Amino acid sequence: MNNGVEKASVSNMEEDKASPPNKGKSIDVGSASEVDKDINNPSTSNMERDDTLNASNKGKDIESTSSIEYVNRDIMEQLQTKMDALTSQQDRAVCCIYRVLNSLRNIKPKMYTPRLISIGPLHRSNKRLEAMEKQKVRYFKQFIKRHELDNENISDLVSSIQKKEMVIRVSYSENLTRIRSSDFIQMILLDAVFVIEFMKDSIDQTFSNEFEPWMIFDIEEDLMLLENQLPFFIIQEIYDQVNLPSQESPCISKFLNLATLYFANYTSSQGLKNRNLTAVESRHFTDLLRNFLLEGAFKRRYTLNPMKLKYSAVMLRKAGVKFQVIKEDKCLVNIKFEKGVLKIPLLDIRYCFERLVRNIMALEQCCYQREAYVCSYIKFMDHLIDSAEDVGLLVRKGIILHGLGDDAAVSNMINHFCKNIGDNYTCLGYISRKINHHYENRFNHTKASLKLIYFPNIWRGTATVAAAILLILTFIQTIASVKSAF
């Protein structure tokens, strides 16, 4: 029996030698209770207490450092993702096609939404517009046949779009990474060809039976919407690949000629056909229409917090202000006020006027905030027109020409244009200040009242003069009678 005990003792001693020093001891550096027991144990020496405390603190430091590193890494990844999502300064300079601001869209959503066809990616997912996708393919087939293109020519068109794909993508204010490259290139090609072929058919009046008259009207308006655009340069490049530039005028794009003829219907009253096309640099059709309207505009200083026009047309007339249409100058914003005469170019309000102006104003709010000439003009007219009576006065003076049938409809439309449009900047503040000063001069009111009451027309003026002569003769006769009596 003693031999067995000795063997067991020897065996245990061998295991103790073979095992690590800490075998059987479980030190959990994160457990406060275990550490406290070791420290508070009276049998534990000071050195052992220090070792235990140091091990505990070291474990906590490791755990804390690991946690901080994980949080920091997570924050850095999130910040990097957000920075990658931002467009660069160069991309912002290229960007020109925007979603209309909600503050403007919510007033009249239909003014900014295509009715029949989607051009570009912003309304691509609209199910209501899918019916026209087949017509795009028909036009592409017509395009190939018209220009006798083979597979190599079509491949060249695709390659030209592919080379410019990134530039086209950053032309839009939205992130378009959701659209695959092949789908994006195909969309641009079909949309560009549709625009070219539709414009040609519109000018030549050679539409096929697939188009009803109302469809043509809707598509014409859809092509000028801010959200329904392609970059001008890519349509021009596709057009130029199948139409060689003119030998006589190589600097003028033949597609610019085509677009000018097409959009002449919208701005014919502004003398569009006589414009210098080489001076027009546009980024898309909405921008092109804006440039047409502003061609020949006076260079005016844009002012911050400017003077606003305080008085309507009828009120100004009572202060002696005369109104005169400028026939030789077709630029809307070239308004003058000289020697009590307010000179304004003709404003031709047609069926598409509201849609056109709202989209140009939306473009200026996104892209031309300190050169918002059209917004400045509309604000000026908004202050000049308060009622149908003001519109009637301007119509009689030949300044406004409209086919809406009712002066009140014109007044209501103009008075709602500037809702949610900021008015911190304008180029017509100086003219507004001059007009306000003229109205606030009492002498001008007195002079105007005499003219309006006693000389409003030749008949009233003749009667007034005759009455004055009669009064003078009566006075002379009275004096003569008095003298003869004495």
Side-chain angles (χ1 to χ4, degrees):
M1 186 173 181
N2 291 333
N3 291 336
V5 172
E6 290 176 359
K7 288 180 180 179
S9 176
V10 171
S11 176
N12 290 336
M13 290 175 65
E14 289 176 353
E15 287 181 4
D16 291 341
K17 289 179 181 180
S19 63
N22 292 332
K23 183 183 179 183
K25 295 181 180 180
S26 177
I27 302 176
D28 185 2
V29 296
S31 175
S33 58
E34 295 288 340
V35 174
D36 291 342
K37 287 179 181 178
D38 290 341
I39 293 174
N40 296 327
N41 190 343
S43 62
T44 304
S45 65
N46 292 334
M47 184 176 295
E48 289 175 343
R49 287 194 187 96
D50 292 340
D51 292 341
T52 303
L53 188 59
N54 289 336
S56 173
N57 291 336
K58 184 177 180 181
K60 289 179 181 179
D61 290 342
I62 293 172
E63 183 179 0
S64 177
T65 302
S66 176
S67 176
I68 291 173
E69 288 177 353
Y70 174 78
V71 172
N72 288 348
R73 186 167 58 252
D74 185 51
I75 292 174
M76 291 299 296
E77 289 175 356
Q78 293 180 26
L79 290 174
Q80 188 62 46
T81 301
K82 291 180 179 180
M83 289 188 291
D84 291 341
L86 291 176
T87 55
S88 66
Q89 190 72 27
Q90 182 179 0
D91 291 346
R92 286 198 297 273
V94 175
C95 181
C96 59
I97 303 173
Y98 301 85
R99 285 279 189 188
V100 175
L101 301 174
N102 287 332
S103 58
L104 302 180
R105 170 181 288 282
N106 293 339
I107 298 170
K108 275 197 171 183
K110 292 182 179 180
M111 292 291 107
Y112 310 101
T113 306
R115 296 171 179 165
L116 195 60
I117 189 167
S118 168
I119 299 294
L122 299 186
H123 290 275
R124 182 170 177 264
S125 59
N126 190 333
K127 301 294 183 182
R128 186 173 53 82
L129 306 175
E130 285 184 352
M132 286 301 297
E133 294 303 309
K134 291 183 180 179
Q135 186 57 43
K136 292 180 183 179
V137 178
R138 292 192 190 100
Y139 261 152
F140 185 70
K141 185 177 180 180
Q142 175 180 310
F143 180 78
I144 293 173
K145 185 177 180 181
R146 186 198 298 267
H147 299 284
E148 299 179 349
L149 303 181
D150 56 22
N151 289 339
E152 184 178 351
N153 298 135
I154 298 172
S155 178
D156 290 340
L157 293 175
V158 172
S159 297
S160 65
I161 298 173
Q162 190 173 16
K163 291 176 183 177
K164 301 289 181 65
E165 181 182 356
M166 292 310 300
V167 180
I168 298 172
R169 283 180 178 269
V170 298
S171 296
Y172 295 89
S173 60
E174 289 192 359
N175 190 330
L176 303 177
T177 54
R178 68 183 185 280
I179 305 177
R180 294 185 306 170
S181 178
S182 58
D183 293 339
F184 187 83
I185 294 171
Q186 179 179 311
M187 174 193 69
I188 297 297
L189 179 60
L190 290 177
D191 287 357
V193 168
F194 177 89
V195 168
I196 294 169
E197 292 299 301
F198 182 83
M199 285 185 168
K200 285 184 175 180
D201 285 352
S202 179
I203 293 170
D204 299 335
Q205 294 295 306
T206 56
F207 286 111
S208 62
N209 295 329
E210 285 88 0
F211 286 111
E212 298 290 339
W214 66 268
M215 296 173 66
I216 297 171
F217 173 80
D218 284 350
I219 294 173
E220 286 176 344
E221 290 205 359
D222 286 347
L223 291 183
M224 66 184 181
L225 304 181
L226 176 58
E227 295 181 352
N228 215 34
Q229 298 297 319
L230 293 180
F232 193 91
F233 72 84
I234 195 62
I235 310 177
Q236 180 172 297
E237 185 167 327
I238 292 172
Y239 184 90
D240 289 345
Q241 279 190 244
V242 296
N243 297 275
L244 296 178
S246 171
Q247 297 284 338
E248 299 176 357
S249 304
C251 59
I252 300 178
S253 166
K254 295 178 75 174
F255 178 68
L256 181 56
N257 281 325
L258 179 69
T260 300
L261 290 174
Y262 173 77
F263 285 115
N265 294 328
Y266 298 106
T267 52
S268 59
S269 64
Q270 310 312 130
L272 177 61
K273 295 181 181 179
N274 299 322
R275 296 300 169 85
N276 180 13
L277 300 179
T278 58
V280 178
E281 296 180 0
S282 305
R283 293 185 277 185
H284 47 75
F285 291 150
T286 311
D287 195 31
L288 179 69
L289 288 165
R290 177 181 179 271
N291 287 333
F292 286 154
L293 291 176
L294 298 178
E295 184 70 21
F298 296 149
K299 296 296 181 183
R300 287 193 169 105
R301 186 168 57 91
Y302 234 68
T303 54
L304 176 64
N305 297 321
M307 175 71 73
K308 301 174 186 176
L309 183 63
K310 300 177 183 178
Y311 311 104
S312 67
V314 172
M315 296 175 69
L316 292 175
R317 182 172 176 266
K318 293 178 180 179
V321 174
K322 297 178 181 178
F323 296 89
Q324 180 181 326
V325 61
I326 306 177
K327 296 181 179 179
E328 66 278 3
D329 194 340
K330 303 297 182 180
C331 182
L332 285 177
V333 301
N334 287 351
I335 299 172
K336 305 175 185 176
F337 184 69
E338 300 170 342
K339 298 179 180 179
V341 181
L342 183 56
K343 300 177 182 180
I344 305 175
L346 172 66
L347 174 59
D348 189 358
I349 300 177
R350 301 188 178 189
Y351 57 89
C352 62
F353 179 79
E354 182 174 7
R355 242 181 165 203
L356 172 64
V357 169
R358 283 190 178 276
N359 279 272
I360 291 177
M361 291 176 73
L363 171 64
E364 289 190 337
Q365 292 299 297
C366 296
C367 206
Y368 299 102
Q369 293 181 353
R370 298 196 179 186
E371 296 178 342
Y373 293 106
V374 175
C375 288
S376 295
Y377 169 80
I378 293 297
K379 288 174 192 174
F380 181 87
M381 296 301 292
D382 181 25
H383 294 141
L384 190 64
I385 295 173
D386 278 344
S387 65
E389 190 177 358
D390 297 308
V391 175
L393 172 60
L394 298 177
V395 168
R396 291 193 299 274
K397 297 298 181 179
I399 294 172
I400 291 181
L401 176 65
H402 71 87
L404 302 186
D406 185 6
D407 291 344
V410 177
S411 172
N412 183 63
M413 179 179 65
I414 292 179
N415 291 154
H416 284 84
F417 270 138
C418 294
K419 190 174 182 180
N420 293 339
I421 295 286
D423 56 358
N424 292 333
Y425 291 91
T426 186
C427 60
L428 297 173
Y430 176 68
I431 290 178
S432 298
R433 183 182 294 107
K434 288 174 64 177
I435 297 173
N436 290 340
H437 288 168
H438 180 96
Y439 180 88
E440 291 160 2
N441 188 322
R442 290 187 178 182
F443 175 74
N444 292 328
H445 279 270
T446 302
K447 185 170 66 172
S449 297
L450 290 172
K451 184 175 181 180
L452 290 173
I453 295 172
Y454 298 106
F455 298 93
N457 52 56
I458 189 171
W459 308 110
R460 179 72 68 84
T462 302
T464 301
V465 172
I469 293 172
L470 181 62
L471 181 63
I472 292 171
L473 291 175
T474 303
F475 180 72
I476 293 173
Q477 185 179 6
T478 302
I479 292 175
S481 299
V482 171
K483 283 185 176 182
S484 64
F486 291 96

